[in-house]
Amino acid sequence: MYYPFLLCALAGLSTSLGAVFVILGGGINDDKMSFYEGFAAGVMLAVSRFDLIPESYKSYLSYLTRLQGARAVFLLFLSGVAVGFAMSKFCDTFTFKYSSRQGQIIGRTAFLTTLIIVLHNLPEGMLTIFTAAKNARFGLKVSRAVALHNIPEGMAVAGPVLYLSKSKKKAFMQAFWRGMAELFGGFVSYFLLFSFINTAFLNGIMPFIAGIMCQTAIFELVPSSMKISKNIHTICGIISGIIVMSIGIFLF
């Protein structure tokens, strides 16, 4: 019984490791902040394109035709994009307590990034618990993959927090608690939703989250990053995020 929860907790804690990498990198200036926002965008685009969408489509093919599977993924992805725009509008109703216009912009994108990573981590926790409870060996493989995913996600959360608060402790704790959303998702799935969570549910939620991620990366993170510093830092961040996340995906 404890094994699935242990795997889920370790996978969630790897988000904190991403925060440690940011903290050990020293202070964050405008150039680094631009890089980290581009990095977060690259991470979201890579995990959507190379992990969430292909895995969902491949699973759909086990009981749908190619056309039906592609249509299901596409419609779920578009639904996620629409929710992403709604979340952006929702953020516009908040006033972030930073004196400068740049601080307001970064605070807004940091809030959105954190919210989306939490949304992403909840079903990841469900997936880890679900697979580990059904098959211990496969559950270990899934938890390793999720843990590797979470390291750059922790960097994406900790970077803006460190930039805005100048507090290493806050940056670490923000990443830690976002990672614990994974464990929370695991608890919910096991004690409340285990009998309802099936392959179809997990298939549906993956392209939906991918749509939210792509909308946020393209329409929020990239424009915000380019306003902070030179475009070259944004481009380097995007490329680095895609490379780091892609390596993690293809290794596991």
Side-chain angles (χ1 to χ4, degrees), residues 11 13 51 67 80 90 93 114 118 131 134 138 200 202-203 226 233:
L13 284 171
D51 183 27
L67 180 60
F90 173 71
T93 64
T114 299
V118 168
T131 53
K134 297 289 185 180
F138 185 58
L202 293 172
N203 284 350
M226 288 182 169
H233 298 114

Side-chain angles (χ1 to χ4, degrees), residues 43-56:
V43 165
M44 291 184 182
L45 292 172
V47 76
S48 298
R49 170 61 182 85
F50 299 120
D51 183 27
L52 298 178
I53 292 174
E55 284 299 316
S56 178

